[in-house]
């Protein structure tokens, strides 16, 4: 796992403007669908304030979505965007507060019934935040745990005390366990398909309760309804029980032989269910501080649990792609359904159950929550064993019964995530293949799909699109969020240049150099500059999200949603220098040194003796023009022999410019010789750049050696 899109400082009262990275995300899919696996679910049931029930989902694409239902159909009624990495868990605290945690190390709160407003961001965690727990009858208490071994208990009411800031952004600066001030801002994002990120903030002073004791990563949390008991589990294979009011540890329970991945507490806090990577489900009596039962139901890691309100039956899912229902008293189990992907999380709604997997779609299955015995009446039940190898043996022997249900009640479809990508040699286009085997070609400087090839061979199309061209790598890319995330880092992102003629840019001289990084930044910030200056937006990208970082940490925002009121200090300084001031940082390796010699055995005049230096993007035909110019201008016309004559004159050390020979009506042009440029005895195409020749023909670390030969043009 790795972080995406940020490079903010770790605190301090003076903002650090030296952020190195800016990331932008491209996605041509429907914005109302997730484009990566769904990690978490929660259901908001109808109440006095809202006559509708909603399903909330959090995804590896970095967004949360609210789903409403109309008869047998579902639709996305809001998208919550501010996280810049996977959303790992989400939970409802009361009727209107949605809490989420992410691999971007933040915990965020949202107005769940709004159109996507983030109300606060907390940055106490030092590593990925993996899990949350809420108290059903004490809406103010929320706990968060993560890979850093930290467990924090938050008083949401205290944390959400009034703060006002433009653009619906609210901030929280509180101290972490080390006492470092870490201010944070979240910027609201709604309504397009591509984003950017930014942040800063003053101190606010709230600090959560810390439950200290974990030495390793925390993967699971559970809390009783009153918020008086908290259970945690993780890679230490034990359950730790805490008093969330003080953060003090009350007991430690051993039994699992692998990571504890999921926990459930009954409403009173006496009984606890745990699921583990050892494939076992355990029922604990916290009053007696012991394990009452073990259930060998699954053949692989247990990742998700959901219990009936009476805590008599448990629904379980995991890596074996199967959903089971188990009677905790009789140990009777039944296979409810099978999936094509590992099950990540479960959520009960009425008499059904929502199932989320590492796929981007979510399904609703029958569950008979009020009368689970009806599922057993369908047949196919078995008795859960005490040892995991019993279930493994049954599976190997092929004795698993057919599932009780074959078809879900409802499916909320997602978009196919990108699973394969290739940066083309032109360093402007990327070929992608998604999970549905659809192959597309992207122009990352414009943020658009150039062509959708449909379901074809990715490898064959990659070979077909191969170009013999060498451009420096000026960006990096990953598909961690299910879509293309492009990372720009200074000064590397300004290393690639091309001539306007090669980019087919009209209205500019053909030898005008265009910096790909700067032009891309202008497109990304085009909407912001247009709003700021109240002018039409030039060359602005039409979709995308920007992810960036500032003193308060990473932020995310759609490029079409900038209002122009955002503070320039929220953007990395090097970005503004490039876009507003046309000023680029010093760059290395923009030129290439080479020698230019006559072909061996040829009686061609020597036009230069020393080493030459030219831009890496200089075309071979410019070298040809240089040779012609030297031969013609340094030699009398009447003495110019067919095979070339020696001339006197000093060596040319540097190219004076790009226009080495401007076409015109010179008297000697009628006798202009035809020149061929060679490298390693291979005649070079006039359109190749020096960098291309060095990469594909010369293939040596030493300075490039070019040869030439001449003949009178016919």
């Amino acid at each position: 796992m790795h972080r995406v899109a940020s490079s903010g400082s770790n605190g301090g009262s003076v903002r650090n403007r030296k952020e190195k990275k800016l990331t932008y995300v491209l996605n041509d899919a429907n914005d109302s669908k997730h484009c990566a696996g769904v990690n978490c679910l929660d259901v908001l049931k109808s109440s006095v304030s809202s006559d509708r029930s909603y399903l909330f989902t959090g995804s590896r694409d970095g967004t949360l979505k609210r789903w409403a239902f109309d008869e047998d159909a579902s639709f996305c009624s809001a998208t919550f965007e501010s996280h810049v990495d996977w959303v790992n868990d989400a939970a409802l605290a009361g009727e209107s507060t949605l809490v989420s945690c992410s691999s971007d190390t933040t915990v965020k709160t949202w107005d769940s019934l709004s159109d996507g407003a983030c109300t606060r961001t907390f940055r106490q965690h030092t590593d990925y935040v993996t899990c949350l727990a809420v108290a059903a009858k004490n809406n103010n208490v929320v706990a968060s745990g993560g890979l850093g071994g930290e467990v924090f208990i938050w008083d949401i009411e205290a944390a959400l005390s009034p703060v006002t800031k433009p653009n619906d952004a609210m901030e929280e600066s509180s101290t972490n366990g080390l006492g470092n001030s870490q201010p944070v801002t979240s910027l609201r994002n709604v309504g397009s398909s591509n984003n950017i990120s930014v942040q800063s903030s003053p101190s606010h002073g709230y600090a959560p309760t810390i439950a200290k004791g974990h030495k390793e990563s925390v993967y699971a949390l559970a809390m009783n309804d009153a918020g008086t008991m908290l259970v945690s589990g993780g890679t230490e294979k034990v359950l730790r029980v805490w008093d969330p009011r003080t953060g003090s540890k009350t007991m430690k329970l051993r039994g699992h032989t692998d990571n504890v991945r999921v926990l459930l507490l009954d409403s009173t806090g006496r009984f606890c269910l745990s699921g583990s990577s050892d494939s076992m489900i355990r029922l604990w009596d916290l009053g007696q501080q012991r394990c009452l039962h073990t259930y060998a139901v699954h053949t692989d890691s247990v990742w998700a649990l959901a219990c009936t309100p009476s805590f008599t039956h448990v629904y379980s899912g995991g890596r074996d792609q199967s959903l089971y229902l188990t009677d905790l008293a009789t140990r009777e189990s039944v296979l409810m359904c099978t999936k094509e992907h590992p099950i990540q999380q479960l959520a009960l709604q009425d008499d059904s159950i929502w199932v989320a997997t590492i796929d981007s779609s979510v399904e609703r299955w029958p569950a008979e929550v009020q009368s689970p015995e009806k599922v057993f009446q369908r047949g196919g039940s078995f008795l859960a064993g005490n040892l995991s190898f019993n279930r493994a043996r049954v599976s190997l022997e092929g004795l698993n019964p057919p599932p009780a249900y074959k078809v879900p009640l409802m499916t909320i479809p997602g978009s196919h995530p990108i699973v394969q990508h290739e940066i083309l040699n032109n360093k402007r286009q990327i070929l992608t293949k998604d999970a549905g085997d659809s192959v597309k070609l992207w122009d990352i400087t414009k943020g658009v799909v150039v062509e959708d090839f449909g379901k074809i061979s990715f490898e064959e199309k990659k070979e077909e699109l191969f170009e013999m061209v060498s451009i420096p790598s000026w960006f990096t890319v990953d598909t961690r969020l299910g879509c293309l995330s492009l990372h720009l880092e200074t000064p590397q992102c300004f290393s690639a240049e091309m001539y306007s003629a090669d980019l087919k840019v009209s209205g500019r001289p053909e030898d005008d150099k265009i910096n790909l990084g700067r032009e891309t930044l202008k497109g990304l910030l085009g909407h912001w500059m247009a709003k700021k200056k109240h002018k039409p937006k030039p060359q602005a990208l039409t979709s995308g999200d920007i992810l960036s970082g500032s003193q308060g940490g990473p932020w995310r925002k759609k490029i079409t949603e900038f209002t122009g009121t955002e503070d320039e200090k929220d953007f990395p300084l090097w970005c503004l220098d490039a876009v507003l001031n046309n000023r680029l940082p010093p760059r290395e390796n923009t030129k290439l040194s080479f020698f230019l010699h006559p072909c061996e055995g040829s009686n061609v005049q020597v036009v230069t003796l020393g080493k030459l230096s030219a831009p890496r993007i200089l075309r071979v035909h410019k070298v040809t023009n240089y040779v012609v110019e030297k031969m013609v201008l340094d030699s009398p016309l009447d003495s110019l022999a067919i095979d070339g004559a020696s001339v006197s004159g000093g060596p040319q050390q540097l190219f004076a410019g790009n226009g080495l020979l401007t076409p015109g009506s010179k008297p000697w042009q009628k006798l202009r010789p035809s020149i061929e440029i060679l490298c390693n005895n291979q005649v070079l195409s006039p359109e190749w750049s020096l960098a291309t020749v060095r990469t594909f023909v010369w293939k040596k670390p030493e300075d490039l050696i070019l040869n030439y030969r001449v003949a009178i043009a016919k």
Side-chain angles (χ1 to χ4, degrees):
M1 300 170 74
H2 65 279
R3 291 179 181 79
V4 174
S6 89
S7 52
S9 68
N10 289 325
S13 57
V14 179
R15 184 178 184 274
N16 183 359
R17 296 299 307 284
K18 296 182 180 180
E19 300 89 354
K20 295 294 185 181
K21 183 185 289 187
L22 181 133
T23 295
Y24 64 104
V25 178
L26 300 178
N27 190 352
D28 71 328
N30 189 334
D31 194 46
S32 65
K33 295 181 179 180
H34 285 302
C35 64
V38 177
N39 284 342
C40 49
L41 301 166
D42 208 351
V43 174
L44 179 62
K45 298 178 181 178
S46 58
S47 62
V48 176
S49 59
S50 175
D51 59 353
R52 309 191 69 150
S53 294
Y54 295 103
L55 174 69
F56 291 87
T57 57
S59 171
R60 295 181 178 185
D61 63 14
T63 71
L64 299 103
K65 294 185 184 295
R66 184 182 68 223
W67 305 90
F69 308 99
D70 187 6
E71 296 180 354
D72 293 331
S74 62
F75 61 93
C76 179
S77 59
T79 296
F80 301 82
E81 292 181 285
S82 185
H83 287 299
V84 300
D85 207 337
W86 290 9
V87 177
N88 293 321
D89 203 0
L92 288 157
E95 293 184 2
S96 61
T97 301
L98 177 66
V99 186
S100 62
C101 65
S102 168
S103 294
D104 64 13
T105 75
T106 68
V107 175
K108 292 179 181 286
T109 59
W110 316 75
D111 181 351
S112 65
L113 299 179
S114 72
D115 57 358
C118 181
T119 53
R120 186 76 63 181
T121 300
F122 304 102
R123 297 191 57 82
Q124 270 66 24
H125 286 273
T126 59
D127 208 331
Y128 295 1
V129 193
T130 56
C131 51
L132 298 170
V134 298
K137 294 182 179 178
N138 187 349
N139 298 336
N140 294 333
V141 182
V142 176
S144 61
L147 298 189
E150 305 142 322
V151 175
F152 295 112
I153 299 100
W154 309 85
D155 182 330
I156 293 298
E157 183 177 1
L160 294 181
S161 57
V163 173
T164 58
K165 189 169 179 68
N167 305 324
D168 297 306
M170 290 193 177
E171 306 166 351
E172 179 61 39
S173 175
S174 31
T175 57
N176 61 17
L178 301 176
N180 296 326
S181 176
Q182 294 184 322
V184 178
T185 298
S186 61
L187 295 183
R188 168 182 166 190
N189 312 282
V190 192
S192 170
S193 64
N194 296 348
N195 299 333
I196 304 186
S197 356
V198 180
Q199 233 150 332
S200 65
S201 109
S203 176
H204 183 261
Y206 171 78
T209 301
I210 305 173
K212 295 181 179 179
H214 277 283
K215 299 180 180 65
E216 298 178 16
S217 300
V218 177
Y219 278 110
L221 293 172
M223 199 181 304
N224 66 340
D225 286 2
T228 57
M229 182 175 291
L230 175 68
V231 184
S232 61
T235 56
E236 296 172 77
K237 308 172 189 176
V238 300
L239 276 65
R240 298 180 188 270
V241 184
W242 315 81
D243 183 341
R245 296 164 293 187
T246 62
S248 59
K249 184 172 60 178
T250 59
M251 70 183 83
K252 181 193 295 186
L253 300 172
R254 301 181 184 276
H256 284 295
T257 59
D258 207 336
N259 300 341
V260 177
R261 296 302 303 265
V262 59
L263 294 165
L264 281 182
L265 271 177
D266 75 335
S267 59
T268 65
R270 177 176 177 179
F271 296 106
C272 177
L273 280 167
S274 60
S276 167
S277 295
D278 62 13
S279 79
M280 301 297 289
I281 300 172
R282 288 179 176 265
L283 176 63
W284 308 81
D285 187 324
L286 301 185
Q288 299 180 20
Q289 300 188 23
R290 70 185 184 94
C291 179
L292 297 178
H293 298 288
T294 58
Y295 305 90
V297 176
H298 291 269
T299 59
D300 209 333
S301 300
V302 181
W303 290 351
L305 297 174
C307 219
T308 57
S310 58
F311 216 74
T312 57
H313 295 75
V314 63
Y315 302 86
S316 59
R319 194 172 180 178
D320 61 5
Q321 307 177 13
S322 301
L323 176 65
Y324 289 94
L325 171 64
T326 302
D327 187 320
L328 296 176
T330 67
R331 309 179 64 83
E332 186 177 12
S333 295
V334 64
L335 176 62
M336 295 187 61
C337 67
T338 57
K339 303 281 292 178
E340 295 181 356
H341 305 278
I343 295 173
Q344 297 270 71
Q345 203 166 54
L346 305 170
L348 297 175
Q349 182 178 9
D350 301 327
D351 241 12
S352 61
I353 187 168
W354 288 100
V355 180
T357 70
I358 60 173
D359 183 46
S360 56
S361 301
V362 179
E363 292 180 346
R364 186 177 187 177
W365 289 82
E368 301 292 351
V369 177
Q370 305 305 319
S371 304
E373 61 275 3
K374 293 181 180 179
V375 181
F376 295 105
Q377 293 171 5
R378 301 175 69 94
S381 63
F382 61 93
L383 199 62
N386 289 308
L387 301 173
S388 59
F389 68 79
N390 290 339
R391 282 297 296 148
R393 187 185 65 216
V394 168
S395 178
L396 288 173
E397 293 173 353
L399 300 179
N400 277 336
Y405 302 101
K406 301 290 182 63
V407 181
L409 299 172
M410 178 184 294
T411 299
I412 299 177
S415 301
H416 292 301
I418 294 174
V419 295
Q420 191 174 1
H421 68 277
E422 183 76 20
I423 301 173
L424 301 189
N425 279 355
N426 61 29
K427 298 299 190 295
R428 290 178 290 117
Q429 295 177 324
I430 297 179
L431 190 68
T432 64
K433 184 176 79 170
D434 63 28
D437 294 327
S438 179
V439 177
K440 296 179 181 179
L441 182 64
W442 296 76
D443 185 328
I444 59 121
T445 64
K446 299 177 181 177
V448 297
V449 173
V450 177
E451 190 168 356
D452 186 344
F453 300 107
K455 295 183 179 182
I456 62 170
S457 169
F458 180 84
E459 295 300 326
E460 290 180 5
K461 179 54 66 173
K462 183 175 71 173
E463 292 180 9
E464 179 185 326
L465 294 174
F466 174 80
E467 294 180 75
M468 191 176 286
V469 59
S470 178
I471 305 291
S473 296
W474 58 279
F475 64 89
T476 56
V477 61
D478 67 59
T479 55
R480 175 176 170 78
L481 301 181
C483 47
L484 290 177
S485 294
L486 289 305
H487 311 288
L488 305 181
E489 193 164 356
T490 185
Q492 292 89 340
C493 70
F494 299 113
S495 62
E497 292 181 327
M498 294 186 69
Y499 289 122
S500 58
D502 299 323
L503 293 173
K504 297 180 174 57
V505 177
S506 59
R508 298 177 70 163
E510 65 175 21
D511 287 340
D512 200 11
K513 295 179 187 176
I514 294 178
N515 188 286
L516 298 183
R518 178 167 56 194
E519 293 304 304
T520 301
L521 285 172
K522 287 181 178 180
L524 288 171
L525 299 182
H527 291 272
W528 174 71
M529 291 190 295
K531 293 289 182 67
K532 189 177 182 65
K533 299 177 181 180
H534 304 289
K535 294 180 179 179
K537 49 183 179 294
Q539 65 192 50
L541 273 68
T542 58
S543 64
D545 296 355
I546 294 185
L547 318 178
S548 183
S550 68
Q551 182 183 6
W555 55 262
R556 175 173 183 161
K557 192 165 188 175
K558 294 187 180 302
I559 62 175
T560 54
E561 301 222 342
F562 283 103
T563 62
T565 60
E566 293 82 8
D567 195 329
E568 288 187 6
K569 293 180 180 179
D570 284 334
F571 295 93
L573 185 59
W574 59 271
C575 293
L576 298 182
D577 268 351
V579 173
L580 300 180
N581 305 322
N582 220 25
R583 187 165 57 218
L584 302 182
R587 290 160 291 152
E588 298 179 356
N589 303 322
T590 59
K591 292 197 172 185
L592 186 150
S593 298
F594 65 98
F595 293 95
L596 187 60
H597 297 157
C599 285
E600 187 176 354
S602 173
N603 192 25
V604 181
Q605 72 184 70
V606 177
V607 298
T608 181
L609 297 176
K611 185 188 296 186
L612 299 170
S613 177
R616 293 174 56 87
I617 63 174
L618 191 80
R619 299 298 183 189
V620 169
H621 75 80
K622 294 289 187 180
V623 181
T624 303
N625 288 348
Y626 172 79
V627 173
V628 172
E629 183 176 329
K630 293 294 292 182
M631 291 180 65
V632 172
L633 297 184
D634 288 0
S635 174
L637 291 180
D638 55 4
S639 66
L640 186 61
I642 292 179
D643 61 350
S646 298
V647 296
S648 61
Q652 179 79 15
Q653 298 296 333
L654 297 172
F655 283 109
N658 293 332
L660 298 174
L661 187 66
T662 304
S665 55
K666 299 291 185 181
W668 45 263
Q669 195 159 23
K670 295 178 181 178
L671 297 175
R672 177 174 176 166
S674 176
I675 296 293
E676 288 181 332
I677 306 295
L678 299 86
C679 179
N680 281 345
N681 296 319
Q682 178 179 336
V683 178
L684 304 179
S685 166
E687 297 306 313
W688 287 353
S689 68
L690 294 180
T692 299
V693 174
R694 183 182 182 88
T695 301
F696 294 100
V697 183
W698 181 242
K699 301 178 183 179
K700 300 176 186 177
E702 296 85 6
D703 286 332
L704 177 66
I705 297 178
L706 299 180
N707 302 107
Y708 60 91
R709 58 192 182 197
V710 61
I712 292 293
K714 296 180 180 179

